[in-house]
Amino acid sequence: MNTKRNWSFLLSLVLVFAAFSVHGLVPNDDDDDGVLNDDDGCPAESSAPFDRDGDGCVDDGSGARHVEYWGAADAVVTFVINDQGAPGVSGDSDLEAVQDAFNAWTSISGTELAASYGGTTPLAVANGLDGINLVTFADASHPFGLTTLAVGLSTSFETPTEVDGRLYRPGEIFDTDMIFNPAFDYSTSGAPGTRDIESIATHEAGHMLGISHTAVRSSTMYFVLPGGLAARTLEDDDVAVYTKAYASATTMTGASRLEGIVNH
């Protein structure tokens, strides 16, 4: 089985990401996109890059920064947080900061993917194949770089793959995890010498939802974490790419678009 594990990490000032994969075999699927021939709306092309609704056609809103996606069957992404929370942070402000990070994305107007907090768990170590979307400050097994603040990891498949009776299309996310580097101190108050949990989590949540880095320095998804609390708030670039990925049908129908041919 060949899985794809996408990694996104935020260095002490920076973030990154990566992937690993699983090979399956689906009969009667000539273009190998996980949609059977009789149900495939675009049988002459593989919809593997981005096919959230599973109709066999590349989604209208797909783009280069959508490296993976949550399928329409996962209308709600449930995540849990290790019950140890962030060392040195009192109360539940660390748990609330992570929840606010996911909400920053899923509350974007005109989008249809939701996130749900599933509570705390004693599970501390991330596993890309357990189907549990874990946020943890206690996973010391991950090989962090010296300046890496956190990683956002997601597991998808390079070919159509069946897991527990469900067929996952190429690029469709199966599992995702957020791991904070235990070597750093974190806070929710912006205290000197600490890293802001909500800022980091908002960036990594973007990766967990299938979005890659941007070249726009002011955006939350830029690979270097901006100073202060700026990354808590999404910028236009962040909103635009997420909206393209998870726009409602009404939003897509009313969207402005440019069409044409580039000659060179």
Side-chain angles (χ1 to χ4, degrees), residues 150-209:
V151 294
L153 311 177
S154 56
T155 302
S156 64
F157 307 106
E158 293 183 331
T159 59
T161 302
E162 186 174 308
V163 180
D164 294 332
R166 173 175 165 179
L167 182 64
Y168 287 83
R169 298 181 296 282
E172 186 174 6
I173 298 173
F174 166 73
D175 176 283
T176 187
D177 302 297
M178 183 188 303
I179 311 173
F180 283 77
N181 188 341
F184 289 95
D185 294 322
Y186 301 97
S187 74
T188 57
S189 62
T194 65
R195 275 55 177 194
D196 182 56
I197 292 173
E198 187 174 342
S199 295
I200 297 169
T202 303
H203 177 102
E204 298 303 346
H207 288 310
M208 294 170 75
L209 297 171

Side-chain angles (χ1 to χ4, degrees), residues 2 7 12 27 36-37 43 47 52 65 71 93 105 118 123 135 141 146 148 160 168 184 186 195 206 227:
N2 184 24
W7 306 49
S12 174
L36 300 182
N37 294 336
S47 62
R52 186 164 185 262
R65 288 180 57 205
S93 64
W105 292 99
L123 184 65
V135 178
S141 67
L146 293 177
T148 304
Y168 287 83
F184 289 95
Y186 301 97
R195 275 55 177 194

Side-chain angles (χ1 to χ4, degrees), residues 5-11 14-18 65-70 77 101-102 105 113 150-155 171 173 175-178 199-214 220-224 234 238 241-242 246:
R5 181 73 160 167
N6 271 325
W7 306 49
S8 296
F9 58 85
L10 177 56
L11 298 178
V14 188
L15 312 158
V16 181
F17 81 150
R65 288 180 57 205
H66 304 148
V67 293
E68 294 175 301
Y69 64 92
W70 288 94
V77 177
F102 278 95
W105 292 99
L113 182 66
V151 294
L153 311 177
S154 56
T155 302
I173 298 173
D175 176 283
T176 187
D177 302 297
M178 183 188 303
S199 295
I200 297 169
T202 303
H203 177 102
E204 298 303 346
H207 288 310
M208 294 170 75
L209 297 171
I211 307 300
S212 64
H213 287 142
T214 180
T220 293
M221 294 310 295
Y222 188 61
F223 67 93
V224 177
L234 301 179
D238 304 308
V241 71
Y242 185 81
Y246 299 110

Side-chain angles (χ1 to χ4, degrees), residues 69-83:
Y69 64 92
W70 288 94
D74 294 302
V76 179
V77 177
T78 300
F79 64 93
V80 294
I81 306 175
N82 172 254
D83 55 16

